[in-house]
Every structure is written in structure tokens, then in C-alpha cells.
Amino acid sequence: MAVSGCGQPPSPPLWQLPVQEGDTGTVTLNKDGSRLYIPRSVLGEDNAQAIVSVFDTKTHSEVAAMPVPGYNAYPGKIQLNPSQSKGYFPTNDRTVQVFDTATNTMATSIPVFAASRLAFSPDGTRLYAMDYNQKIHVIDAITDTVIDTWEYDIRLPSFSDIVVEPTGTYAYIASGETHVVDLKTGAIVDSIPVRGSDLTFSSDGRTLYVMDTFNRRTAVVDVPSKSVKATIPVSGYDFILSSSEKRAYIPMWEFSSIAVVDLNTNALICSHWMDRPDTIRATDAVLSPDNRTIYVTQSRPYFVAQVAIPEEKPSPRFTDTPSDASFHREITWLATAGITTGFDDHTFRPLEPVRRDAMAAFIYRFHGSPEFTPPPVSPFTDVSISDKFYKEITWLAANKISQGWPDQTYRPLEPVNRDAMAAFLYRTVDHARFIAPAESPFKDVQTDDPFYREISFVSALGVSTGWADGTFRPLQPVNRDAMAAFLFRLNPFAAFVKR
């Protein structure tokens, strides 16, 4: 069983919805968590038939399948109005379709050209339909008619998302920059220099999370100042806040996983991996009201899965690492991700050197504490099968992260020097294709030194920049606080690790 921040090892989904055919690109959950709305497109002989499937989350059964009118009306993301009485979604048949949630029947079609994303005003009286031609169509959500269209002279890239802040005064549009639109006049009144593909507000409207898939990051924007206050080095299809707003969940198509981000440290702490990662790709997800279940749409093949989410737990606090301590953020992340538990007296002992046995435990947990059966006979003469970190040390050896010394010792109680630290981290992410520079980045590291390539690697990634005097000090032991910082900086380059 993993001891990672997710609290569980990778596992199959609890329940796979019986969607037998059709592209299930998105998923929407109603407020009480009882109904899932899944638009899908089923290919026919001459055209594609769009269907909206409605599933009961308690009985796991399809309770309705609504045919969508139109020719090749490929359906987009469904938005339910605030009262939950109607559902709206754009199609590529130049319409926004509306359905009644009480009867599960299509109600009307609103003619809107090229609509892609929808956003409601807080009171539900207005629906803003963004289109790929740099327009916003204003829809009266009482009469379901278009009452205005705002056009913008903005160069590519096209608009990719729209959200309305909680007061209903402004809308934010994701594009090459994040634009602020006055909803009284339709004018763009401000722009934030952050490229975006998905936008999410905090409940108080003071923080905007701007997902930038182009630069593989999520910017954390302070709304009052319109400035970026932090960056999360994770991006995907959606940014889903938990109700506590201490966690975020991000479907990551390329890694077949749901990334879990700690919003105290703005860093990835673990991932929920999908079953059969060689064929399944996460494309959209929603979180249940109790924050214990994620429903995620998959592609290749198409289906919707239900994944259990462990209860959020507060991060461990150490008595010797106050908030103003060096590397406090990194140490907090290390504990939140389950990579360290500290000592029994609730200390972290940041200035103590990292021992080689503890380093094995850190790296094993950094990998998500994978399933591993340690050998019945120790591969090292100075490590017993009853030693505290025997499993972690032998896992490290089995994965060729550390082979010990030629005399078959591991020397578990020796401190880890900085050159060996570089080697551990290099092998942790397995960057065998890295080409070391012809000239050393540090004046005390020579190109023919034993770990030159590995030291150059951690320097190139910014994991370790050395000292201000241009030295790396390869033979100096690594303290525990510095090790937390090294792993924290390596973290963005290890999103593929199953933890």
C-alpha cells in the first residue's frame, strides 16, 4: 500500500459506466451528485448522431438517452443553470441546445454560430456563449434567445474558455492573454499577460487559476491586482477545485492520470492513475459534492470511470520548521506528499545530514511507494533484512538507482554527499539521453569527475544551482532541508512517476 499523498496505489476504477459506443469527451455532474450528463457522438453510415446520456450515480444505470437534433451535431461541454432546471451545450451544428432536466427531453435550439464554451451569470438569467471567431453571444436564459453579440478584434489564438466571476460584474476569457470583459458593456477593460486554455475561480473570486497547456503550467492570478502570484508546474484539461480549496485535480491526457495538486505549496503531490494506461487517456473530470469521488471521461476506448478519492488530511507540522524557516514550503510539500513523516518527536531536523538509508526511503516514496517484495537475502553485507529501510534500500538497488560499493556494502548510516545526491536524482527520473556540456557549470567540478554528467543534469534542470561563488561542493553532505528543496524542484520533471 502506498504512503503517497494520494493515500493509495494505482488501481482500477470502482465503476465503469456502460457507455458502449460514442465519443465521451466531457462529463457534467449536478449539484447534489445524483446525475451525470454525458454528451457523446455515435458514428452512423452517413453522419454522426449526437446523444446526451443521463446516468444515476447511485444505481449506476442510464436513466435517459436524449437524441440531439441537427446534422453531425457534435456536442460540447454541458452547463446546468444555477437552478439545475435546464442544461445547455454547444454543438458544431451552429446551435446551443437546451434540455429539461426534470423530463430529460430536448427543449429548444438557440442559433449560435461556432459556440464552444458557455458560462452563466450567478443569478442564472444570462448565458454567455463564447465562439471560436472571437465573439461572445449573450443569451437571455429565461426566454432562451440571443439578445446581443459582442465582437472583438483580437489576433489568434482563438478564445478557449470563459468564466464569470462570482459578483457577475466581469467575465474572463482565455486566449493568448487572459482578457477581462465588462458584462454591462461587453468591452474588454483589462488583460492579464497569461496565456490560457482553462479558467477556474476560487469561491470568493479573489483567485483565478489560468491553465496554460502551451507552457505546461497553471498560473495563480491575484484578481484584485491582476497579477500572477504563483505558478503551478502542472497543466491538463481542467482545473477542478475541492470544496476546501486546498486541493485541485487535473486530468492529464498524456499520462493517463488525475494529478492532485496541493494548493498550500502549489505543487503536485500525487496522481490517480487510470487502469490500462497504455490505452486510456483522461479527457475531462468532475468531483462529487462530498469530494470523495471523481468521474472521469476516458478516450481510447471511450468510457466514463468512477475513481475513489481519499479524504483530505492536514499536512504534518514540525516543531523545528517554523513558517519563516528556509525551505519551509519545500519541507511542507515533502510531508504533504507523504515522502517524509519526520521523527517521533514531531521534528524534521532540517540541518542534519541525510543518511543513505533515509535517502532510499525518500526516493522510494517519491515514486509513490510502489508494490515491491524485498529479496529474502540482502544484496548488501551491511544491510539486514530486519533493518528499518531494508525494503526501500533493496528497491533502490533493484531499480539501479543505487548499487552500493564494490565491496557489496551500502553504508546506510553514512551521509549523502552532494555528488551522490545528483546521481540519485538523475537515476530517479532516468534521463539517460541527457548530454553533459563540454564546459562544467561549476568551477570545482571537472568534466572527468565520476558524477559530472549527473551534476550537470541537476544544474541544467535548476534542481541545484550551486553556491554564489560558482561552486557545487560535491563532497559536502546534503542536509535534510536542502534535500527537501532538491526533490521539490525535481517534482515538475517527474509527473510520469506513479504516485
Side-chain angles (χ1 to χ4, degrees):
M1 181 65 69
V3 290
S4 68
C6 280
Q8 61 185 26
S11 61
L14 295 178
W15 166 50
Q16 179 175 318
L17 289 175
V19 177
Q20 300 300 325
E21 58 180 344
D23 181 355
T24 54
T26 65
V27 59
T28 299
L29 185 68
N30 65 352
K31 283 183 180 178
D32 65 12
S34 64
R35 292 290 186 269
L36 282 174
Y37 298 90
I38 304 163
R40 54 196 179 97
S41 184
V42 181
L43 294 177
E45 292 184 3
D46 300 320
N47 68 318
Q49 172 65 61
I51 296 172
V52 173
S53 290
V54 185
F55 283 88
D56 186 307
T57 58
K58 292 183 179 179
T59 63
H60 298 177
S61 60
E62 186 177 44
V63 296
M66 296 177 276
V68 179
Y71 181 79
N72 286 336
Y74 191 93
K77 176 81 171 180
I78 292 172
Q79 293 286 342
L80 300 177
N81 64 355
S83 68
Q84 308 285 280
S85 62
K86 293 190 288 187
Y88 295 72
F89 60 93
T91 77
N92 63 352
D93 195 38
R94 304 182 181 186
T95 62
V96 170
Q97 297 290 337
V98 187
F99 63 89
D100 186 302
T101 59
T103 60
N104 289 324
T105 56
M106 302 303 300
T108 190
S109 296
I110 306 171
V112 179
F113 182 79
S116 56
R117 292 290 186 100
L118 309 176
F120 274 99
S121 61
D123 63 5
T125 62
R126 293 291 183 268
L127 176 66
Y128 301 95
M130 177 199 76
D131 79 19
Y132 289 121
N133 296 314
Q134 323 295 49
K135 298 178 183 179
I136 296 177
H137 306 274
V138 184
I139 297 172
D140 184 319
I142 306 301
T143 62
D144 290 334
T145 56
V146 177
I147 58 175
D148 205 349
T149 296
W150 302 328
E151 299 185 35
Y152 304 95
D153 184 17
I154 296 175
R155 296 180 179 179
L156 296 175
S158 299
F159 294 166
S160 57
D161 197 15
I162 180 171
V163 292
V164 176
E165 48 86 36
T167 68
T169 305
Y170 300 102
Y172 286 67
I173 303 171
S175 183
E177 294 184 301
T178 301
H179 303 293
V180 185
V181 176
D182 186 324
L183 292 179
K184 287 185 178 180
T185 65
I188 292 178
V189 295
D190 207 344
S191 293
I192 304 167
V194 178
R195 183 169 182 157
S197 55
D198 183 84
L199 305 174
T200 302
F201 267 109
S202 61
S203 59
D204 62 6
R206 297 185 62 82
T207 301
L208 177 67
Y209 298 93
V210 182
M211 188 170 293
D212 178 2
T213 54
F214 183 81
N215 293 301
R216 304 181 69 85
R217 65 170 187 160
T218 299
V220 184
V221 175
D222 177 69
V223 173
S225 67
K226 305 294 189 295
S227 61
V228 177
K229 61 182 180 180
T231 297
I232 302 169
V234 182
S235 68
Y237 276 90
D238 286 302
F239 190 90
I240 305 163
L241 280 174
S242 68
S243 58
S244 71
E245 302 193 1
K246 295 178 181 179
R247 293 280 190 277
Y249 301 91
I250 302 176
M252 301 182 72
W253 186 89
E254 65 268 46
F255 296 128
S256 308
S257 65
I258 303 293
V260 183
V261 174
D262 171 55
L263 295 179
N264 180 29
T265 59
N266 289 322
L268 175 72
I269 55 172
C270 66
S271 297
H272 291 284
W273 289 81
M274 300 296 104
D275 197 21
R276 303 204 317 270
D278 57 323
T279 60
I280 294 172
R281 298 290 184 265
T283 57
D284 190 28
V286 288
L287 185 64
S288 63
D290 63 2
N291 289 253
R292 300 306 302 272
T293 302
I294 280 183
Y295 300 96
V296 54
T297 52
Q298 308 282 328
S299 64
R300 303 181 185 177
Y302 303 118
F303 71 88
V304 179
Q306 174 183 331
V307 179
I309 301 297
E311 183 180 1
E312 290 182 19
K313 295 180 180 179
S315 301
R317 295 184 180 274
F318 302 115
T319 58
D320 56 351
T321 54
S323 59
D324 60 349
S326 297
F327 304 127
H328 174 266
R329 178 190 180 195
E330 292 85 348
I331 293 168
T332 300
W333 166 81
L334 202 74
T336 303
I339 297 171
T340 185
T341 56
F343 294 87
D344 291 340
D345 60 359
H346 303 294
T347 61
F348 181 73
R349 305 179 192 176
L351 300 183
E352 284 191 7
V354 178
R355 300 190 323 193
R356 286 174 55 84
D357 58 352
M359 173 66 86
F362 283 162
I363 293 177
Y364 175 74
R365 295 169 189 162
F366 185 81
H367 273 263
S369 301
E371 294 293 333
F372 175 71
T373 301
V377 178
S378 175
F380 303 110
T381 58
D382 58 346
V383 177
S384 168
I385 62 173
S386 61
D387 285 351
K388 182 178 181 181
F389 295 124
Y390 176 70
K391 179 178 182 178
E392 292 85 347
I393 291 169
T394 52
W395 176 86
L396 215 66
N399 286 275
K400 299 185 177 3
I401 296 174
S402 177
Q403 298 294 304
W405 270 265
D407 62 359
Q408 292 188 305
T409 61
Y410 182 77
R411 307 178 192 178
L413 302 185
E414 284 192 6
V416 177
N417 288 344
R418 287 172 57 85
D419 59 352
M421 172 275 298
F424 281 140
L425 299 188
Y426 175 84
R427 296 167 193 159
T428 292
V429 294
D430 192 25
H431 275 266
R433 293 174 293 180
F434 176 74
I435 299 174
E439 184 177 342
S440 176
F442 304 108
K443 62 186 181 182
D444 60 344
V445 178
Q446 306 305 311
T447 57
D448 58 353
D449 284 353
F451 296 123
Y452 173 69
R453 182 179 186 177
E454 292 83 348
I455 292 170
S456 300
F457 171 76
V458 296
S459 172
L461 263 60
V463 173
S464 176
T465 56
W467 269 264
D469 62 0
T471 62
F472 183 75
R473 306 180 192 178
L475 301 182
Q476 181 172 306
V478 179
N479 285 347
R480 287 171 56 86
D481 60 351
M483 194 64 238
F486 292 145
L487 287 171
F488 181 84
R489 296 169 194 161
L490 185 70
N491 190 44
F493 303 99
F496 61 88
V497 172
K498 291 191 175 182
R499 54 193 163 101

